[in-house]
Each structure stands twice: as structure tokens, then as C-alpha cells.
Amino acid sequence: METIHSLKEMQVRALALKKQGKTIAFVPTMGYLHEGHLSLLREGRKRGDVLVLSIFVNPTQFGPGEDLDAYPRDLDRDSALASEAGTDLLFFPTSEQIYPAGYATSVDVEGLTDTLCGASRPGHFRGVTTVVAKLFGIVQPDLALFGSKDFQQLAVIRRMTEDLNLPVEIVGMPIVREEGGLAMSSRNVNLSAAERSQALCLVGAIAQASNAYGEGERRAEVLIALARQRIEQEPDARIDYLQICNDSTLADVELADNQSVMLLSVRVGKTRLIDNHYLSRPQRDIPFCRFKINTWLSCSG
Ligand code: AMP
């Protein structure tokens, strides 16, 4: 694996690879890699001739008072993990290269970004779509892999790619979870032991709603109330949002169906966590979670 720091060099290398007819698979991340990121890299390894990983903690997607400075970073550890997962090129640019003096362009996806994380983090998605569009311009990928843990982000990036006619296939990948069901996140490292156990309320809430859905309940209001009850059992958990939305429009639904996704963001202590799940899909289908609904309820309840 080779690490490239220069934006220009990355772009020149990518254009040369394309000229040779190589397929570039790309995984953009903010680093501090975990199994979720590695699952994207392994899939990218299978699908592309050349696998490129970017690590860039993008300042423009963090709002004032958010955790930009506290965001975990460890390039040596990331390099070892990335190399093991088959990465060919690790692109690690500086902020000054991505946003040089005089930089004045941004990409905005309307509608889909008004709700959920977009409502609670104003400007967040503008930062995401702008940096992803720029990275696509630099890395020239044929395909780019994103996790569905960031369900709204994936929807927004698909929309942007289609609307701007970018010649990149967007591949969505399943959520990778820890043994107890907590969705893996670089931010989990900021949780204390007590908070980590309280953080199981996210998956516990999903399990409550999915269980009720499985028993025939379709009223979103009731499913949300059940999920809310589970989160409110935890002293340090504060709901940011808890919604059941249509998977393509992200509009709230009144009656859940097989296109309905429960999406939630919960602050546990100072750490903001997100999760989501199609209510109609059994939890046992989720990779890395060997527990069934009832086990989840008892281990998180
Ligand atoms: P991040 O470094 O948090 O910006 O994430 C980089 C990519 O990894 C995004 O496409 C995320 O959706 C994806 N990702 C993060 N956590 C997970 C997870 N637990 N399972 C699958 N993909 C993930």
C-alpha cells in the first residue's frame, strides 16, 4: 500500500490508472477505522482493480460546537488495517489542499437534507456532498462504497451522483455491529463503559419497534412510542430524533410497511450516535449480530 498526501499526485495517478483501463473502487472515510470501514474495503477489493481509501476529517461537515477536535485519529493504526484489507492507495490530504484560500463552491442536495440529521445538524450535508463531489473529482472512481449506517447520507449521495450525472456507481453496504448489537462507529471510542452499555438502547429501541411490527402493529406513532420508552430507560440518553420514514423520500410515514425504516439519533453523554433498521427485516439478518430480537431485548433491557 502506498500513502499519497498530495491532491495533485492522487489525481494524476488516478487518471493514469483510468488510461490503463483499471477500475477504481473508492472508500471515503474520516479514519479511525473499524470493522464497518473494513467491510467496505473488502468489498471494494473484490469489485475494483485498484482500491483507494481516503482519510479526511472534513471540517465543513462539523457544526460549531460539534466534535471536530475530539474526533479520534490514528494514522499508523489505520494504515496497518487498510493495508491488511487490501488497500492499494491511501489518500490522506490536508484541509489546506481540499479547501485552499479562495475556495468558494459547494454542492447542496435539496429536500432529502431538510430532515433527520439535516435538521439537527444544519450545514452538515452541504459539507458531506461538497467533499464527496471533490473526492470523486480527485480519485476518479468507477465505484464508491458507503455504509447504510449513515442511511440518509447514502440517500443524499445517490441523489447527488444521479443529479450531477457523475459516472460513479454508488454501492450501499450493510451496517456492521458489535456483538451486543451497537452499530460500529469511530465515535464509540469516546463512550465510557457505563455509556457503552446505555448505548445499547439504540438497538434495543429498534428491536422493540421491529418486534411490535412483527406482531402486526403498523401505526408509526405506536412503534415510535415503544422505541422511545426503551431509550428513556437510560439516564444519560437524550433523543435527538426518532422517526419512521419512507426509504426513498425520507418522509415520515403514518403506517409502516416494508419500505419503512426506523431512523434514530441519540446522544449518550456527550457522544451522538445514529442507527437505523428496516422494520420489516429480521434482526438476525444483520451481519455481526448473532442475537435474536429477544436476546437483544434482554441484553439491552
Ligand atoms: P466515517 O468515517 O464515519 O465518515 O464513515 C466512512 C464510511 O464508513 C461511511 O460510508 C459510513 O457509512 C461507513 N460506516 C461507518 N460505520 C459503519 C458501520 N458500522 N457499518 C458499515 N459501514 C459503516
Side-chain angles (χ1 to χ4, degrees):
M1 187 183 79
E2 197 181 327
T3 302
I4 299 180
H5 293 272
S6 149
L7 186 158
K8 198 73 223 157
E9 187 187 341
M10 181 67 241
Q11 194 174 44
V12 168
R13 289 286 289 276
L15 289 167
L17 288 163
K18 304 281 281 188
K19 245 190 185 158
Q20 292 165 26
K22 304 276 192 214
T23 306
I24 299 178
F26 177 44
V27 178
T29 75
M30 297 205 297
Y32 213 73
L33 303 183
H34 52 67
E35 272 298 324
H37 300 116
L38 300 182
S39 72
L40 308 187
L41 288 172
R42 291 190 195 109
E43 184 65 20
R45 176 68 286 161
K46 281 190 226 154
R47 294 193 187 213
D49 298 322
V50 179
L51 176 59
V52 181
L53 163 70
S54 67
I55 296 183
F56 178 59
V57 182
N58 176 34
T60 63
Q61 69 190 68
F62 288 79
E66 288 189 354
D67 59 349
L68 174 61
D69 294 333
Y71 201 84
R73 295 158 167 92
D74 189 342
L75 184 61
D76 290 342
R77 180 178 161 277
D78 284 352
S79 298
L81 290 169
S83 168
E84 226 172 88
T87 305
D88 296 303
L89 299 175
L90 166 55
F91 178 46
F92 185 72
T94 58
S95 267
E96 291 70 31
Q97 289 183 82
I98 298 288
Y99 302 112
Y103 183 80
T105 304
S106 52
V107 179
D108 256 318
V109 172
E110 289 170 12
L112 284 179
T113 58
D114 293 343
T115 180
L116 302 163
C117 288
S120 56
R121 302 181 71 188
H124 167 69
F125 283 115
R126 174 181 301 156
V128 170
T129 43
T130 301
V131 81
V132 170
K134 284 171 66 67
L135 289 167
F136 283 0
I138 299 161
V139 174
Q140 303 279 317
D142 295 276
L143 63 136
L145 300 99
F146 293 86
S148 58
K149 195 202 90 177
D150 299 271
F151 191 93
Q152 185 177 19
Q153 171 175 283
L154 177 56
V156 167
I157 285 166
R158 283 192 199 284
R159 182 82 261 156
M160 172 188 82
T161 307
E162 193 177 325
D163 290 354
L164 297 182
N165 309 100
L166 303 178
V168 183
E169 181 195 350
I170 304 299
V171 179
M173 294 290 291
I175 301 176
V176 178
R177 295 174 182 277
E178 295 180 4
E179 288 262 320
L182 177 65
M184 288 196 177
S185 164
S186 305
R187 289 186 167 98
N188 291 354
V189 73
N190 294 329
L191 296 166
S192 66
E195 287 170 346
R196 184 171 277 269
S197 127
Q198 293 189 45
L200 291 173
C201 71
L202 280 89
V203 76
I206 287 172
Q208 294 280 17
S210 296
N211 210 16
Y213 183 95
E215 286 165 5
E217 180 61 62
R218 292 293 179 270
R219 291 167 297 172
E221 203 185 331
V222 175
L223 295 165
I224 289 169
L226 285 167
R228 180 178 291 277
Q229 269 172 20
R230 173 64 192 86
I231 295 162
E232 287 175 350
Q233 284 171 18
E234 302 301 345
D236 302 317
R238 299 280 172 277
I239 297 173
D240 180 9
Y241 61 75
L242 170 55
Q243 290 170 234
I244 299 178
C245 301
N246 175 271
D247 62 353
S248 52
T249 63
L250 300 186
D252 289 313
V253 300
E254 274 181 36
L255 290 178
D257 60 22
N258 57 12
Q259 278 181 281
S260 300
V261 189
M262 171 165 269
L263 297 122
L264 66 165
S265 160
V266 176
R267 231 168 263 278
V268 180
K270 286 195 177 130
T271 309
R272 184 178 176 279
L273 302 171
I274 56 172
D275 203 344
N276 68 81
H277 188 66
Y278 277 89
L279 290 173
S280 58
R281 292 192 191 159
Q283 277 91 350
R284 72 183 135 72
D285 287 355
I286 296 175
F288 281 74
C289 188
R290 291 186 271 284
F291 300 100
K292 293 205 177 104
I293 290 174
N294 289 337
T295 323
W296 277 15
L297 289 176
S298 58
C299 73
S300 59

